[in-house]
């Protein structure tokens, strides 16, 4: 495990207190792609924040993952506006195309697939995001070509 | 001249800077305002790039500014482009349209009619003539779509921070609070608590360190008002936070934005940096004794963190679980300090109140609800987008006059208001003036302003199931009635959508719902049953159709549907088979096709694809 990036983050955020735990985990996850247990143990040793406390927070928030995540994150909206305009069939199509369920990562590590409550883009429902890009007015048959652009 | 990184020493210097900026603006004769926030999902950035490139090669870059703005409101026609000074509103605009716009409008001064809206067969080129805008009162959103959110210069040119200067130099904190109290402003985050009263409570608590939190967690599905404000007019929000901070005696502010809003996070961060560089944040702001700092913090994907005590727990680095009140955040909030939490839209109203006075603000609205309210209009409605109307406007005005009605002119069935805490307001209340109190009486809540329109093709049982699933997943798990009760409610609703419900389930929904409401700690649990209760109350016949006749009148509940192809209508064109995502349709060319029921996932793609109405839905 490459320990240098975590070290850099701790330095930048110093002094790290318990109330910085969420931004700290966000920075670590941004850098490592997920939250590796070894890194958390070491961060705990250096900051004095117990690993039990970290684990509690990580499992509470949907954003955090202790398993490696895909290079790209697909977020399909399952909000109301998307739901009444056929969002479910778009999410189903993503699941079918990638052969994984909500919350899973493809074998080749390319995509992690999640559904979220709302992307705030309800006017273009149904909507999904790939990484930080929005796609609106979706149809199940558009999914393939969108995903092709993310190698 | 104020150079990019010098603090503005006092109110007079701010005023002088504004005058200079307005003067500079006169050097260009027009502006192309491309929405680069919401419209980005449909390629708006390609459009603004095309404008920049082509204006440069046409030698017009010096005369015409291209500005990437926040939301114009009429999102249904994304990507939108607004041309000043004529105020022509174009959309949807593609990069291929740019040459024509430059030729016809920017050189010729005339509208490109094919890109304009139409009303009653007439072209409506100018924004304020669009029916969508005509019935609105855009106060809070006035600058959204007009200014470049990434440039403090644009905000200042339009007068942002000028009211702050007035407040810091000529008002006491108590005067600010009494002005806000007199205006009748109520919190726009859902509960509608009077903002002035909230501030007074916090001011009265002693403490060296106090906080102002801007709640931009906006988790309600179907809501995007706060997103648009933070993306489009971030400096207006900062100005509101500064005023709140001055009023309660706070030194620190936090903007808590959800992580699903990357553009809002980016714009808020830029705005804070620029405000700091110009001395509008930091020590002795505009030469006054008032000092204030703002941090931006991102949520981590938990809906419950919109609730104020959960939000504070999350900022303290803990699991986002609500706690009992009192103590209220005003007494013991972030890190034990007195804290005021306000919604984004609430804070966006504050500078307007202090600029124009409480009387002007309270002249708009109803007896108990003053000012305007922004609604996010989505679902089965033509003009999806952001709508700002005086409180007391009716649903009919919002959905039909402004929203343009329902696509295909299908009948209006209900409006879902207030997200998962809200309820469904049926057609017979279309003419009821909407304010905090009237909506509550119907079993919905105003909530933050999400308004999802539903028509005859929306199944109300499915909607109740959908929201119950949502609150069940988002329950923090602290209270048994909320954690377990919503699961039981969900089981009942799922059973009904599968046609396996029993008539006594309806009574069970009501008693279970009332139990969850009475015995949950926070707003999530207390309102978790609203969608079920309001649909049972207003749409009982739909439940009965599912239970008694095993039929979904809207044709939504998949377990109750069956798609078949009518052999005598089918021409064998194969169009449906090409669309079927699971290859469930078989048949030889020019011969009637057939659906293999075991494979069919009931998505309805074939029915949409068929030009001969040969796919039947039972
Ligand atoms: C489950 C739940 C979710 C909430 N989500 C939000 C939210 O996303 N944004 C918001 O401003 N208020 C939200 N609230 C309301 C806040 O608790 C709080 O009342 C509000 O931020 C106060 O601001 P206001 O007085 O300006 O409305 C939520 C409340 C509950 C119970
Ligand atoms: S309903 Fe969907 S799955 Fe079934 S046959 Fe038609 S297209 Fe195929
Ligand atoms: S409901 Fe899907 S983006 Fe809001």
């Amino acid at each position: 495990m490459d320990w240098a990036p975590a070290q850099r983050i701790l330095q930048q955020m110093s002094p790290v207190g318990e109330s910085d735990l969420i931004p700290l985990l966000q920075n670590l996850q941004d850098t490592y792609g997920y939250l590796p247990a070894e890194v958390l143990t070491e961060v705990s040793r250096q900051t004095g924040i117990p690993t039990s406390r970290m684990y509690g927070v990580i499992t509470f928030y949907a954003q955090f993952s202790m398993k490696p995540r895909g290079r790209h994150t697909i977020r399909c909206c399952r909000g109301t506006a998307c739901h009444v305009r056929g969002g479910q069939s778009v999410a189903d199509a993503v699941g079918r195309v990638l052969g994984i369920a909500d919350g899973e990562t493809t074998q080749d590590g390319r995509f992690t697939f999640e559904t979220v409550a709302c992307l705030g883009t309800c006017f273009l429902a149904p909507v999904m995001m790939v990484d930080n890009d929005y796609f609106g007015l979706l149809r199940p048959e558009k999914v393939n070509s969108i995903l092709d652009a993310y190698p | 001249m104020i150079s990019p990184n010098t603090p503005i020493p006092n109110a007079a210097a701010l005023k002088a800077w504004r005058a200079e900026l307005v003067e500079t603006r006169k050097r260009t004769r027009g502006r192309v305002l491309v929405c680069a926030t919401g419209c980005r999902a449909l390629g708006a950035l390609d459009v603004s790039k095309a404008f920049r490139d082509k204006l440069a090669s046409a030698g017009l870059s010096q005369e015409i500014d291209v500005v990437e703005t926040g939301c114009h409101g009429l999102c249904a026609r994304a990507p939108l482009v607004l041309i000043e000074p004529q105020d022509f509103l174009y959309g949807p605009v593609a990069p291929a349209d740019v040459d024509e716009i430059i030729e016809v409008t920017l050189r010729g001064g005339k509208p490109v009619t094919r890109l304009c809206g139409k009303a009653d067969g007439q072209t409506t080129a100018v924004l304020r003539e669009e029916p969508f805008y005509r019935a609105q009162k855009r106060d809070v959103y006035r600058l959204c779509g007009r200014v470049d959110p990434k440039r403090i210069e644009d905000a200042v040119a339009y007068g942002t921070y000028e009211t702050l200067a007035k407040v810091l130099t000529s008002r006491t904190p108590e005067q600010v609070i009494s002005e806000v109290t007199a205006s009748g402003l109520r919190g726009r985050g859902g509960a509608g608590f009077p903002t002035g009263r909230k501030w007074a409570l916090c001011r009265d608590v002693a403490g060296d360190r106090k906080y102002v939190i801007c709640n931009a967690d906006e988790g309600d599905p179907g809501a995007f008002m706060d997103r648009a404000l933070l993306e489009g007019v971030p400096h207006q929000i900062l100005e509101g936070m500064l005023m709140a901070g001055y009023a309660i005696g706070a030194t620190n502010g936090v903007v808590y934005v959800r992580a699903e809003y990357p553009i809002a996070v980016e714009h808020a961060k830029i705005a804070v940096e620029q405000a700091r560089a110009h001395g509008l944040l930091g020590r002795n702001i505009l030469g006054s004794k008032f000092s204030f700092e703002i941090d931006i913090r991102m949520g981590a994907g938990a809906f419950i963190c919109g609730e104020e005590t959960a939000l504070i727990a999350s900022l303290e680095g803990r699991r986002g679980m609500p706690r009992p009140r009192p103590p209220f955040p005003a007494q013991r909030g972030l890190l034990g300090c007195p804290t005021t939490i306000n919604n984004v839209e609430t804070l966006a109203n504050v500078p307007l109140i202090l600029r124009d006075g409480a009387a002007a603000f309270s002249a708009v609205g109803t007896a108990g609800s003053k000012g305007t309210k922004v609604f996010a209009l989505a679902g089965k409605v033509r003009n999806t987008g952001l709508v700002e109307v005086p409180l007391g406007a009716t649903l009919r005005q919002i959905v039909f006059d402004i929203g343009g009605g329902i696509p295909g002119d299908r009948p209006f069935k209900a409006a879902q208001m207030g997200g998962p805490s809200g309820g469904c307001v049926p057609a017979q209340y279309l003419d009821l003036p909407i304010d905090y109190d009237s909506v509550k009486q119907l079993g919905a809540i105003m909530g933050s302003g999400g308004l999802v329109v539903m028509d005859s093709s929306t199944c109300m049982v499915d909607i109740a199931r959908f929201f119950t699933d949502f609150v069940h997943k988002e329950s923090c798990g602290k209270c048994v009635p909320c954690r377990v009760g919503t699961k039981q409610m969900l089981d009942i609703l799922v059973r009904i959508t599968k046609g396996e419900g029993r008539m006594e389930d309806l009574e069970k929904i009501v008693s279970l719902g009332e139990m969850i409401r009475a015995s949950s700690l926070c707003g999530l649990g207390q309102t978790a049953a609203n969608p079920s209760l309001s649909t049972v109350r207003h749409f009982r016949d739909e439940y009965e159709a599912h239970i008694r006749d095993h039929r979904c009148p809207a044709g939504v509940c998949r377990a109750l549907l069956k798609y078949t192809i009518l052999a005598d209508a089918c021409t064998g064109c194969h169009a449906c088979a090409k669309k079927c995502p699971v290859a469930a349709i078989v048949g030889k060319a020019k011969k009637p096709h057939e659906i293999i029921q075991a494979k069919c996932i009931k998505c309805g793609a074939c029915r949409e694809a068929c030009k001969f109405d040969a796919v039947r839905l039972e």
Side-chain angles (χ1 to χ4, degrees), chain B residues 563 576 579-585 595-596 599-607 615:
Chain B
Y563 287 91
C576 59
K579 286 279 159 156
C580 176
V582 291
I585 303 184
I595 297 174
I596 305 169
K599 273 191 173 181
C600 173
I601 57 167
K602 302 175 183 178
C603 69
C606 50
R607 192 151 180 259
V615 181

Side-chain angles (χ1 to χ4, degrees), chain B residues 373-398:
Chain B
K373 178 75 195 87
V374 184
F375 291 97
L377 197 52
K380 306 280 184 68
V381 60
R382 282 201 182 88
N383 298 333
T384 52
L386 282 175
V387 172
E388 184 177 351
V389 289
L391 277 157
T394 65
L395 263 184
R396 187 184 303 282
Q397 285 168 329
I398 297 173

